[in-house]
Every structure is written in C-alpha cells, then in structure tokens.
Amino acid sequence: MKRIIQLTINDKEYEVAVEPNQTLTDMLRYELGLTGTKKGCEVGDCGSCTVIMDGIPVNSCLVLAMQANGRKITTIEGLETEKGMHPIQKAFVEKGAIQCGFCTPGMILSSKSLLDKNPNPTEEEIRAGISGNLCRCTGYQKIVDAVKSVGK
Amino acid sequence: MLPNFSYVRPKSLDEAVRHLDSPENRIHAGGTDLLGCLRERVFGVAKIVSLSGIQELKGITETAEGGLRIGALATLREIAESPLIRSKYPVLAQGAAEAASPQLRNQGTLGGNLCQKPRCWYYRGDFHCLRKGGDLCYAMVGENAFHCILGGDACYIVHPSDTAPALVALGATVRITGAGGPRTVPVEEFFVPPTQDLTRETVLEHNEILTEILLPPPPQGLRSSYRKVRARRSWDFALAGVALALQFRGEEVAGGRVVLSGAAPIPWRSVEVEEVILGKRLDAETISAAAEAVVKNAEPLAQNDYKLPLFRAIVEEELSAIAKV
C-alpha cells in the first residue's frame, strides 16, 4: 500500500506517495524524473546511484524510499546553481574525466562529500573517497586529476 | 525489482519483537545486505521491520567498568571513525574501515555486519544448494576459489565479516532480545558452523533482535590489529585476513586470541597459532612456527590452495609488526 513521505531534495520540499518496496533510486527517477541518479547493479556494488543523504553519501538502490522520510537528499541535479556548474562538475569537464558518463553523477557526489570534509585531499585520500564508485571505462586517473584540481 | 512486502517502523524493541511473529518478517537495519538478498530472491519476505526508529539501538558509550557498549545500529563508519574504538580497540576500527565501500559503511551497521548472509555465489545465485534446503553443495566440486580452507563440512562458505573476527579476538559479547526476554552470548558462540547446523549462520532466532555489542575493558598490555588481503583494494571480501588481540607482558605474549577471516564458515579462532605464541617472545623462530601452524589443519579445495601461502605470510607479517609496537 502506498504511503506519503515528506523529504527535502536539493533544498526543495517534496511529498511523494511511495510503495514499501520502492527504492530511493526508483522514486527519484520514476516519481520525480530526477534521472541524473543512475541505476547500475542495484545491489550496492557500483555506486552509480550514489546520493548524499543527511550529509553522507549512500547507495540509493539500497535505501527504501520510506527510509528517506524526513531526510535531506542531494542529487546531481542539486549541484548546479544560477551561477552555472559546480566547480567539481567544471573540473570533470575540463580534465576529461567523463567518458561514457554513467558513473559521473555518483563520482561527483562522492567527491563533493570528500571535499566538503577535506578540501585538500591527497591522491590516496581521493582514491579512497571514490572507492565505492566504479568507472567501467576505467578512466580513474582523469577523475582523480579532476578532484585534485578542485582541491587546490 | 524487489518483491512485494509491507513496511513497519516500530518505536520500541517490544513492538519490533511483536512484528517478528513469522520467519518471513525480516529485520531491517542498514539494509545493505537485506535488500540485495531480497532482490536476488535468496529468501522470501512478507514484512520489513525497520529498526531505525528505536533510539536505544544507537550510539557508542563507555561502560562503568571501562569497556564499551555499541548499539547494534552503529554504522561501520561510526565504528571506523570512533576515537574511543580507534584508541582502545584498533582491531575493531580497522576491521570496520576495511569492510565494503564508503557508501556501504555509511549505511551498514555493526549488528547487520554480524548477521549478514554468506557471499557464496551458488548460495546467492539460482542454485538450490544445501544451505537453502537442497541436497548439493555446488562449491565442493564447482568454482571454489573464494571458499573455505578450514571448518568446511558439506558446505564450504567463508564468513564475509571483517568486524566479527575483531570482536571474537577481543572477547566481545552480544545482547539479544526476543519474545523470551534478553540473553547475552559471547560473539565466539554467536556463529554456527556447518558441522553444527547447515541451515543457519548464527544462533539468532527469527523473532530475536541483536541489540548491542559489549566489549570488555582492554586488558593490560593489549595490542591489536586487523589485516585483510583482497583481490581489489576496495569493496571486496577477504581472501585471507587475521585479527590479533594479544596481551603482552614485557616482550612476551601473555594471552590473547588470533582469529582468521576468509578462512572458514565462521570467524575462525586459530588455536594452533595461539598455542605456538603463548608465553613466547615474538622472535623470528616463534613467528616462523606460527606461520606454519596457521595452515596446519587446512584442507584446501581444488581452486583455493593459494590461500595457504597468503595466510602464512599475513601471520608472519602481522606478528612481526605487532611485536614492534
């Protein structure tokens, strides 16, 4: 049976009717049209569904929509402002850190979470920070370069 | 696609236990293992009982005796980052930090890490194996590179947890609440090997909830560490691992435990290594004897004898390192 949940997504309040077996990924994509959050493995292996929930990155495929009741979510759509792309997004474009692009939203949100906490990470800290996100184009070096360039 | 189920979020433990009146009603903590199992149809579900509304299951606090009480819902990230755990029980902080990926450590809980289901690909896949009530262990003659070398019997899973070996090494206990009231079980006795019962991984009944993990005060001279070897540097289970919690008197090992991950269907206490090092200084001779002892009783399967040199090497390296602390 559907139930109404209330949550904040990208600083906007939402009320959404969700099924108990609906994941946060599916709710974002199919109920709200926020398709920047990608659906990859759906078992927590790939990190392409990463969103930031109450300040920490989570795999939204392993969060039930009902669990998100009352929570604050940031998706990739929340990073761009009227001033344009977020500095991390710009760095990904400038450094060639995007190949097919499927991992990019998750990579950027994991990077954002790292940089918010640690504005000048070492290469090792960057690699650890994005270690829950797979890039099947294997373009990790440019992603690390991009995150490093924002840090400086 | 997840199967259909109803969802409840009780506010108290009593209420949660009342919802567990059928084995198809599943406890939901971090959900990182549960949702994967449900999606892969490893077991059925009628109702999800979320523990997230029960405040008493959260938090990490020091006990009056100088030990630690960890609520079952403490996340792996909280365990890995807790200054208390890092300073007093480094083996546990390291185990939590080595588990899974950053996202999964943000979501996954310590209680859930102890209650997670095996990662055997036959068990997780479309195989009606022994553990799922069938009559064949497919790993025994199939693809068994990631299976056990110790403690296997008819079923050859390895226990996937990185925190459980640390907790066994530290002599931790768990508190369990159910319809019959609370009980306390040493973590060492919490896990059920296939020799005892093939159809379960822990002593937990379907209507019981693991509520907290209790660590005794660190004994005098305690040094501890966790080492994990895996094929990838992140988000992978242990091929071989060792948790050490040793008490030193001067340079001599006066007591403690050595517990293996990636070796057996349960966190595996290596009594063989403990016997070699007890009462000894960790000199080259003792360390080399310990490295031989760790695999003395191993019975590798067709594809996993590579684990023998791995275990010998990590026991040697970790004992050498802890001797110098």
Side-chain angles (χ1 to χ4, degrees), chain B:
Chain B
M1 186 71 187
L2 287 168
N4 287 320
F5 49 75
S6 60
Y7 177 91
V8 290
R9 190 167 178 265
K11 286 273 178 283
S12 74
L13 263 179
D14 284 349
E15 196 189 337
V17 169
R18 279 199 298 278
H19 279 293
L20 298 174
D21 52 356
S22 150
E24 297 269 283
N25 298 354
R26 306 285 175 182
I27 296 169
H28 180 247
T32 54
D33 190 38
L34 178 68
L35 296 201
C37 284
L38 297 183
R39 207 184 287 282
E40 290 168 345
R41 305 296 192 268
V42 175
F43 46 71
V45 62
K47 189 195 283 184
I48 295 274
V49 183
S50 167
L51 301 183
S52 61
I54 306 173
Q55 287 311 313
E56 63 188 283
L57 297 179
K58 296 174 185 172
I60 301 170
T61 46
E62 269 186 298
T63 62
E65 304 78 48
L68 220 52
R69 176 234 169 243
I70 305 174
L73 289 185
T75 62
L76 293 178
R77 178 200 181 141
E78 287 167 348
I79 306 289
E81 291 184 352
S82 155
L84 262 176
I85 298 177
R86 286 164 69 119
S87 66
K88 293 171 83 171
Y89 310 95
V91 62
L92 179 58
Q94 289 163 15
E98 293 277 305
S101 73
Q103 291 92 321
L104 294 168
R105 291 193 294 277
N106 288 339
Q107 294 166 269
T109 64
L110 184 60
N113 196 257
L114 299 182
C115 297
Q116 64 184 310
K117 288 293 187 178
R119 285 278 160 182
C120 169
W121 41 38
Y122 296 106
Y123 176 79
R124 295 264 168 169
D126 292 332
F127 294 85
H128 193 55
C129 74
L130 262 183
R131 189 165 287 274
K132 288 194 285 196
D135 42 35
L136 189 64
C137 169
Y138 294 85
M140 209 165 83
V141 291
E143 297 294 329
N144 52 33
F146 303 114
H147 291 74
C148 70
I149 57 166
L150 283 159
D153 183 48
C155 168
Y156 294 86
I157 58 167
V158 282
H159 199 272
S161 173
D162 293 307
T163 59
L167 292 171
V168 173
L170 292 167
T173 54
V174 289
R175 292 276 288 168
I176 294 169
T177 288
R183 59 181 177 133
T184 303
V185 179
V187 178
E188 196 182 1
E189 292 161 27
F190 180 69
F191 300 101
V192 178
T195 42
Q196 203 176 311
D197 184 348
L198 251 170
T199 61
R200 55 163 66 213
E201 291 79 40
T202 73
V203 299
L204 209 61
E205 299 295 339
H206 76 83
N207 55 3
E208 287 186 316
I209 299 170
L210 194 166
T211 57
E212 58 193 23
I213 295 93
L214 297 164
L215 289 167
Q220 190 107 47
L222 176 72
R223 296 180 203 170
S224 75
S225 69
Y226 181 64
R227 171 76 178 276
K228 175 178 177 178
V229 179
R230 47 188 160 179
R232 302 177 63 238
R233 270 170 66 195
S234 97
W235 187 198
D236 210 349
F237 296 93
L239 299 174
V242 60
L244 300 177
L246 303 177
Q247 294 130 48
F248 283 81
R249 195 185 301 122
E251 287 186 25
E252 200 174 276
V253 177
R257 293 179 177 182
V258 177
V259 186
L260 310 178
S261 58
I266 58 171
W268 192 258
R269 207 171 147 188
S270 181
V271 181
E272 293 81 4
V273 173
E274 291 174 13
E275 277 170 1
V276 168
I277 61 175
L278 187 66
K280 302 269 178 53
R281 287 181 53 219
L282 292 179
D283 55 20
E285 197 187 332
T286 304
I287 288 174
S288 138
E292 282 312 311
V294 70
V295 292
K296 194 169 81 181
N297 297 325
E299 291 179 330
L301 302 163
Q303 298 174 352
N304 68 4
D305 62 353
Y306 70 92
K307 287 192 177 190
L308 306 186
L310 275 187
F311 273 107
R312 279 194 216 104
I314 59 171
V315 164
E316 191 179 317
E317 289 184 7
E318 288 305 290
L319 287 178
S320 305
I322 210 165
K324 293 192 195 101
V325 173

Side-chain angles (χ1 to χ4, degrees), chain A residues 86-106:
Chain A
H86 188 279
I88 305 174
Q89 291 176 306
K90 274 190 204 150
F92 268 60
V93 172
E94 280 160 16
K95 297 286 173 185
I98 301 166
Q99 292 186 43
C100 84
F102 198 81
C103 74
T104 308

Side-chain angles (χ1 to χ4, degrees), chain A residues 15-147:
Chain A
E15 272 194 355
V16 195
V18 297
E19 293 283 356
N21 68 344
Q22 200 166 18
T23 62
L24 179 57
T25 315
D26 285 350
M27 185 198 85
L28 291 168
R29 291 179 59 87
Y30 304 138
E31 306 295 332
L32 305 177
L34 294 169
T35 52
T37 303
K38 300 302 176 203
K39 253 175 103 161
C41 69
E42 295 190 79
V43 288
D45 284 343
C46 77
S48 66
C49 65
T50 301
V51 301
I52 297 177
M53 182 156 85
D54 291 341
I56 58 170
V58 296
N59 290 322
S60 62
C61 75
L62 295 178
V63 177
L64 294 174
M66 288 199 176
Q67 270 175 277
N69 193 16
R71 315 290 284 266
K72 198 168 174 290
I73 312 283
T74 303
T75 70
I76 192 68
E77 289 90 347
L79 263 56
E80 195 177 342
T81 62
E82 63 277 9
K83 287 184 214 144
M85 285 194 295
H86 188 279
I88 305 174
Q89 291 176 306
K90 274 190 204 150
F92 268 60
V93 172
E94 280 160 16
K95 297 286 173 185
I98 301 166
Q99 292 186 43
C100 84
F102 198 81
C103 74
T104 308
M107 283 286 182
I108 288 178
L109 289 169
S110 284
S111 305
K112 179 178 188 297
S113 162
L114 170 71
L115 291 167
D116 286 348
K117 210 170 52 173
N118 178 2
N120 280 299
T122 62
E123 172 152 353
E124 202 178 322
E125 286 166 339
I126 294 169
R127 288 186 182 273
I130 59 167
S131 63
N133 297 80
L134 297 184
C135 167
R136 287 305 73 180
C137 307
T138 71
Y140 293 103
Q141 190 55 52
K142 303 241 181 224
I143 293 170
V144 171
D145 292 346
V147 179

